[in-house]
Amino acid sequence: MAEKRSKKLVQGNEACSEGALYAGCRFYAGYPITPSTEVAEILSARLPNVGGKFIQMEDEIASISAVIGASLAGLKSLTATSGPGFSLKQEGIGYACMAEVPCVIVNVMRGGPSTGYPTGPSQSDVMQAKWGTHGDHPVIAVTPAYVQEIFSETVRAFNLAERYRTPVLILYDEIVGHMREPVTFPLPGELEVIDRVKPTCPLEEYLPYDTEYEIAPLAAFGEGYRFHVTGLNHRADGFPTNDSKLIEKGIKRLTGKIENHREDIWKNEEYLLDDADIVVFAFGSTARSARYSVRKARENGLKAGLLRPLTLWPFPEKAVRDAVVRAKAVIVPEMNLGQIVHEVERCACGVKVEGIFRVDGEPINPRQILDVIEKYR
Amino acid sequence: MPSGAVAEKKTKSSVPFDYNKYLRPNKLPHIWCPGCGHGIVLKSLLRAIDKSGLAKDQICMVSGIGCSSRTPGYVDFNTMHTLHGRALSFATGVKLAKPGLKIIVTTGDGDALAIGGNHFIHTCRRNIDMTILVYSNAIYGMTGGQFSPTTPPGAMSTTSRYGNMEPIFDCCELAKAAGATFVARGTAYHTQELERTILEAIKHKGTSVVEVLDQCPTYYGRHNKFKSATQMMEVIEKEGTVSVSQADKLPPEKLKGKLLRGILYRTERTEYCEEYRKLMEKAQQTK
């Protein structure tokens, strides 16, 4: 008899943990922080069961550092945090970008700044996700909106990290993190699971940043390829360089490896968008309200549609440009004081863009969005 | 002989040691200034590694940021030059992921005890198997000579223009109190002894910390009126220390102001990865 998929009522953070295990994650290092802690709690029980490693580190910086170390030793690695911890992890995220070490970082967004509102939802870390670590660097961030989607997007995040040798961020807010919804767990093999490409060349010929490749194969420590890794600008062999030509080439390759593959990384949901002249652009739990508002607006005879990015970074420029062709307005609800709205504006080809912002720790409700849609009747 | 003493036997060998066996080709000259002690420490470390019998593939050397943290770039192991202060956290990830690797961390007094102080004490507490070499020259060399947590009170530096007003961290006392199961101190002056101390540290199962007193003539020396690197070695490393085996025989007044050299503390306690292995067995039984 064929194996049956199990269906369970689970919390967003649990779906994330299970998604990570499905993707082959075998290392977690973290530090307790609300509202992400359940990921650590669950993996502390689950990882030892499957021969994986869990460690609770002394702080967030240590956690991301251990994650990078474990990934270089060959294990798919994860850490989860929230606002203040995300700030601390920026140092390590930059290192993972520069040294091109695959890893996944979950940020269950809560209200800020500083300690802010630990149990209230927010979407105010989206620009930090893009620019939080210093220097020009590539960023991939995914933004699931449903518990089922947290599972599948976590698997996708690991796949992107492994394929592009880069840290991948999973951004969801406290609402979906703590929400319980039925999740159907896919069977092994049902979802694609990508593993990093490992070198097959003779040991002495291995270059960890071989420019013959756009993304070079990555060896694991302890398997014969004795290579060097640094956060300094480096040459193809991984050793530091002060050569200005090589520095520029290196940074451009680093950002280019993501920019050149945006089509592969982008993922959007389009809802009633085909003929829409009022476009709502929303992600995460806000998109759930937006979806309801769009349906209500249609019932009221308005041509509203929803563009929901599952990949927020790199920003879905093309999808926005395509969506605004017929639009008279783009509405951008977000749980912050206006962050992604500026990105939308940049791509909206002059179409009127209006934001709906909220920072009181309460979700943006469908009524708020519907009221703005009605303005464009 | 007291249990902590390092044997003072001179090693005699007619064949000169071949450092090139462990150095990466074409990576020299190193960045260290003339008179710096780091190269001497590296040589002692390589001889110790050779004696340990570890294969190059088995070793992962991890460092943070600073002069001492450039060490991994020169050696032919699995090597990682990481973030300032975070070497031990990266190393913890590597070790837990691949417990078969021997981890050696090269770090400095600023890297290990200031910005990395939290990671230092918690690594010691976990007793995860790794050898931590703290190159302690009492100064931030890479950034041009600022005082560090091991700069003695009164010493001059580019950020202590009226004499350092802060007390020091005793690296070895800190390591011991935090839970390290092997704690030792050596110097760049006593090279043979340092080699033996590092070898014992490498052989130890658990967190082993070796503080190595060495000299920064460029910054610490210049700001504190030392005439040369050799004078620094004589005053700070030779006259300023006494081995634990000699210390037992000396009256207290002769020990005043001197730091102890050799293996200061050694004990047995379950190592972290070993403990984790047991945890996995338990978890898999209760599945």
Side-chain angles (χ1 to χ4, degrees):
Chain A
M1 197 177 77
E3 205 183 338
K4 264 184 77 179
R5 297 191 196 99
S6 67
K7 190 171 183 178
K8 278 198 292 188
L9 184 69
V10 300
Q11 189 197 57
N13 285 335
E14 190 174 354
C16 175
S17 312
E18 293 301 328
L21 292 170
Y22 185 96
C25 171
R26 288 297 176 268
F27 188 91
Y28 180 94
Y31 187 81
I33 184 164
T34 307
S36 76
T37 310
E38 292 85 359
V39 179
E41 289 175 336
I42 293 161
L43 288 175
S44 76
R46 297 278 281 117
L47 276 169
N49 271 335
V50 296
K53 311 293 168 67
F54 169 91
I55 186 167
Q56 184 170 307
M57 295 298 284
E58 56 274 17
D59 62 33
E60 301 281 4
I61 305 171
S63 305
I64 181 75
S65 301
V67 156
I68 298 167
S71 180
L72 281 167
L75 297 187
K76 288 188 182 180
S77 305
L78 174 77
T79 186
T81 189
S82 185
F86 193 51
S87 294
L88 289 169
K89 286 192 200 295
Q90 295 301 333
E91 183 186 38
I93 292 170
Y95 186 91
C97 286
M98 184 58 143
E100 298 183 64
V101 185
C103 54
V104 176
I105 299 103
V106 180
N107 176 12
V108 188
M109 291 182 285
R110 69 191 222 188
S114 189
T115 312
Y117 188 18
T119 55
S122 159
Q123 295 178 315
S124 52
D125 300 346
V126 289
M127 276 298 166
Q128 189 191 17
K130 173 74 175 119
W131 296 115
T133 193
H134 56 277
D136 287 296
H137 58 275
V139 178
I140 300 178
V142 302
T143 49
Y146 303 90
V147 176
Q148 178 79 51
E149 206 171 71
I150 290 179
F151 183 97
S152 54
E153 284 302 289
T154 302
V155 177
R156 190 167 76 97
F158 272 98
N159 288 347
L160 292 169
E162 295 284 313
R163 174 174 284 162
Y164 295 106
R165 264 187 79 173
T166 194
V168 173
L169 313 173
I170 304 177
L171 304 175
Y172 55 85
D173 52 76
E174 188 275 341
I175 296 174
V176 241
H178 280 161
M179 179 184 288
R180 285 175 196 275
E181 287 183 310
V183 170
T184 305
F185 292 100
L187 296 170
E190 249 185 281
L191 295 186
E192 186 187 24
V193 169
I194 297 172
D195 295 323
R196 68 193 67 174
V197 176
K198 288 197 165 192
T200 51
C201 64
L203 297 179
E204 63 283 2
E205 285 173 21
Y206 178 59
L207 297 172
Y209 304 94
D210 195 342
T211 47
E212 291 292 306
Y213 301 86
E214 188 178 21
I215 297 144
L218 180 61
F221 283 152
E223 292 176 2
Y225 292 95
R226 293 192 301 274
F227 63 107
H228 185 63
V229 175
T230 178
L232 290 164
N233 288 104
H234 46 264
R235 302 182 309 224
D237 61 5
F239 291 92
T241 183
N242 292 329
D243 182 324
S244 56
K245 282 200 187 77
L246 286 180
I247 290 171
E248 186 174 4
K249 215 173 137 189
I251 296 170
K252 284 185 172 168
R253 186 186 59 76
L254 202 60
T255 50
K257 73 175 180 182
I258 304 304
E259 286 299 307
N260 299 340
H261 295 277
R262 290 181 303 178
E263 299 281 351
D264 174 51
I265 300 165
W266 279 335
K267 188 178 173 186
N268 304 296
E269 188 210 9
E270 295 179 2
Y271 177 63
L272 306 176
L273 205 58
D274 283 345
D275 62 341
D277 58 9
I278 304 164
V279 175
V280 182
F281 181 98
F283 59 95
S285 67
T286 304
R288 302 172 69 121
S289 293
R291 193 185 171 90
Y292 183 84
S293 314
V294 162
R295 202 171 67 228
K296 282 284 160 203
R298 287 272 171 178
E299 284 169 19
N300 298 346
L302 284 151
K303 281 188 189 171
L306 171 69
L307 175 59
R308 178 171 76 91
L310 279 85
T311 301
L312 195 63
W313 302 115
F315 189 73
E317 293 164 3
K318 189 175 174 295
V320 174
R321 283 198 194 103
D322 292 348
V324 300
V325 171
R326 287 165 306 274
K328 49 187 179 191
V330 186
I331 298 163
V332 186
E334 47 183 333
M335 284 186 280
N336 56 49
L337 287 182
Q339 296 190 18
I340 282 299
V341 67
H342 300 297
E343 286 295 306
V344 176
E345 215 155 28
R346 183 169 66 78
C347 306
C349 312
V351 174
K352 163 87 178 158
V353 176
E354 181 168 349
I356 303 171
F357 310 132
R358 189 157 191 176
V359 289
D360 61 353
E362 295 295 329
I364 296 179
N365 62 52
R367 185 74 251 168
Q368 273 181 281
I369 302 169
L370 195 57
D371 285 348
V372 179
I373 295 174
E374 287 285 354
K375 271 172 54 181
Y376 295 95
R377 180 180 285 276
Chain B
M1 194 169 73
S3 61
V6 176
E8 279 295 325
K9 219 163 53 188
K10 287 271 181 287
T11 45
K12 283 193 185 113
S13 169
S14 51
V15 187
F17 184 79
D18 180 18
Y19 293 100
N20 287 327
K21 184 176 166 190
Y22 295 102
L23 293 174
R24 284 179 165 132
N26 311 319
K27 293 293 174 278
L28 295 177
H30 54 67
I31 62 153
W32 300 320
C33 303
C36 171
H38 292 1
I40 302 173
V41 181
L42 173 58
K43 288 174 87 174
S44 294
L45 171 62
L46 293 181
R47 293 195 306 273
I49 286 171
D50 192 66
K51 288 215 169 72
S52 75
L54 288 165
K56 292 197 276 187
D57 281 337
Q58 270 178 284
I59 297 171
C60 181
M61 191 182 279
V62 185
S63 69
I65 294 294
C67 296
S68 58
S69 288
R70 289 304 185 96
T71 308
Y74 307 125
V75 293
D76 189 14
F77 307 124
N78 304 283
T79 56
M80 198 178 352
H81 175 232
T82 70
L83 294 165
H84 197 21
R86 323 295 174 214
L88 297 172
S89 311
F90 281 82
T92 297
V94 175
K95 181 68 185 178
L96 193 51
K98 275 224 170 83
L101 285 169
K102 176 72 208 180
I103 310 283
I104 299 171
V105 175
T106 58
T107 174
D109 36 298
D111 196 51
L113 306 177
I115 191 163
N118 196 26
H119 312 308
F120 183 78
I121 55 175
H122 288 280
T123 304
C124 292
R125 176 176 65 84
R126 289 189 193 102
N127 194 35
I128 189 163
D129 187 29
M130 60 177 71
T131 297
I132 307 165
L133 236 58
V134 185
Y135 298 49
S136 183
N137 57 8
I139 206 84
Y140 285 90
M142 190 70 92
T143 46
Q146 299 75 34
F147 74 88
S148 85
T150 58
T151 304
M156 306 302 276
S157 75
T158 59
T159 48
S160 59
R161 302 287 181 140
Y162 307 100
N164 181 23
M165 55 168 275
E166 295 192 6
I168 64 153
F169 253 151
D170 182 322
C171 175
C172 294
E173 289 293 330
L174 184 65
K176 184 185 167 193
T181 48
F182 180 105
V183 180
R185 186 183 284 120
T187 84
Y189 182 91
H190 305 86
T191 59
Q192 300 294 317
E193 182 191 270
L194 180 60
E195 173 193 323
R196 290 190 295 272
T197 305
I198 296 173
L199 178 59
E200 289 303 306
I202 289 173
K203 286 186 343 201
H204 179 78
K205 183 104 174 143
T207 304
S208 53
V209 176
V210 182
E211 182 189 26
V212 187
L213 305 181
D214 75 4
Q215 68 285 351
C216 174
T218 303
Y219 293 112
Y220 191 89
R222 209 152 44 90
H223 287 292
N224 290 285
K225 308 253 181 295
F226 283 95
K227 291 191 181 74
S228 65
T230 44
Q231 192 203 12
M232 291 182 80
M233 293 175 85
E234 275 168 7
V235 173
I236 301 167
E237 297 159 30
K238 187 185 173 203
E239 304 301 332
T241 63
V242 58
S243 81
V244 281
S245 56
Q246 288 163 349
D248 284 348
K249 298 167 206 146
L250 293 173
E253 61 271 20
K254 294 257 185 192
L255 296 174
K256 215 175 159 219
K258 289 183 195 276
L259 287 169
L260 288 178
R261 248 179 25 242
I263 298 165
L264 309 178
Y265 180 71
R266 177 154 45 177
T267 189
E268 294 290 321
R269 185 155 63 83
T270 320
E271 190 270 332
Y272 187 88
C273 296
E274 185 53 33
E275 200 68 50
Y276 192 87
R277 195 186 53 76
K278 288 185 210 161
L279 179 144
M280 281 201 290
E281 279 171 13
K282 203 174 173 184
Q284 283 161 17
Q285 277 162 13
T286 55
K287 210 171 194 173

